[in-house]
Amino acid sequence: MSDGISLEAAGAEDPMGGYAERYGPWALIAGGSEGIGLSFARRLAARGIHLVLLARRRKPLEEAASLLREEYGVEVRVHAVDLSARDLDRLLDDILHGLEIGLLIYNAGATHGAGLFLDAPLDAARRLVDLNCHGPLVLCHRLGRSMRERGRGGIILL
């Protein structure tokens, strides 16, 4: 595959016994529009897993969704959302409604313009803490409960 990660070719038999059976029909990837997140999306789509992609910017999300739908024929839903938002749990109500998310990949995180900690404004550090701690906390708590109830699922935090 063009994502640079070596695995069996798309469509090859899954040695894990089928991702949809093992995890569920849908995966949510926070930070799934580019880079590593998009690589995860491609790998899962190749196994027939439908995707919910979350990121800040709508244009890269739409481009990723179009590519994944065309290449793999899976359903892809995109939501431009601030994963550091204090009302993230409320925002998830609409995003997750009616979906069985069996796999959560939290790949969001940034150090845009990284510099010395003491030279940056305190609010910049707070935003990174919210993105890297609050976002995964909310998503893990929200999705982990239903995974536990179903007796299947997985969470990957990067």
Side-chain angles (χ1 to χ4, degrees), residues 1 7-12 42 46-47 72:
M1 295 185 120
L7 264 186
E8 62 275 6
R42 292 177 71 118
R47 289 170 172 79
Y72 303 103

Side-chain angles (χ1 to χ4, degrees), residues 38-53:
L38 181 55
S39 292
F40 270 109
R42 292 177 71 118
R43 300 292 299 276
L44 293 169
R47 289 170 172 79
I49 300 294
H50 303 295
L51 303 165
V52 176
L53 304 179

Side-chain angles (χ1 to χ4, degrees), residues 56 107-116 120 124-125 127-129 131-132:
R56 286 173 299 152
N107 178 60
T111 56
H112 302 293
L116 296 175
R127 282 191 299 276
L128 283 176
V129 168
L131 178 62
N132 293 324

Side-chain angles (χ1 to χ4, degrees), residues 19 22-24 26-28 44 101-106 139-140 143-144 146-148 150-157:
Y19 274 46
R22 183 176 183 141
Y23 298 106
W26 287 86
L28 185 148
L44 293 169
I101 304 291
L103 188 58
L104 164 63
I105 299 172
Y106 196 92
L139 282 162
C140 287
L143 296 172
S146 57
M147 290 176 191
R148 179 182 64 188
R150 286 192 305 270
R152 67 179 184 172
I155 296 173
I156 299 172
L157 302 175

Side-chain angles (χ1 to χ4, degrees), residues 22-100:
R22 183 176 183 141
Y23 298 106
W26 287 86
L28 185 148
I29 304 175
S33 60
E34 302 173 291
I36 294 170
L38 181 55
S39 292
F40 270 109
R42 292 177 71 118
R43 300 292 299 276
L44 293 169
R47 289 170 172 79
I49 300 294
H50 303 295
L51 303 165
V52 176
L53 304 179
L54 306 180
R56 286 173 299 152
R57 297 176 314 164
R58 179 157 299 282
K59 185 176 180 190
L61 281 167
E62 294 291 350
E63 290 170 355
S66 179
L67 175 134
L68 294 163
R69 288 179 191 120
E70 185 177 316
E71 281 191 36
Y72 303 103
V74 296
E75 189 173 341
V76 182
R77 298 181 185 185
V78 298
H79 299 276
V81 62
D82 179 358
L83 294 164
S84 66
R86 285 293 160 184
D87 64 343
L88 180 59
D89 193 42
R90 183 190 57 76
L91 296 172
L92 290 173
D93 289 339
D94 291 335
I95 293 169
L96 301 175
H97 182 75
L99 298 179
E100 181 187 331

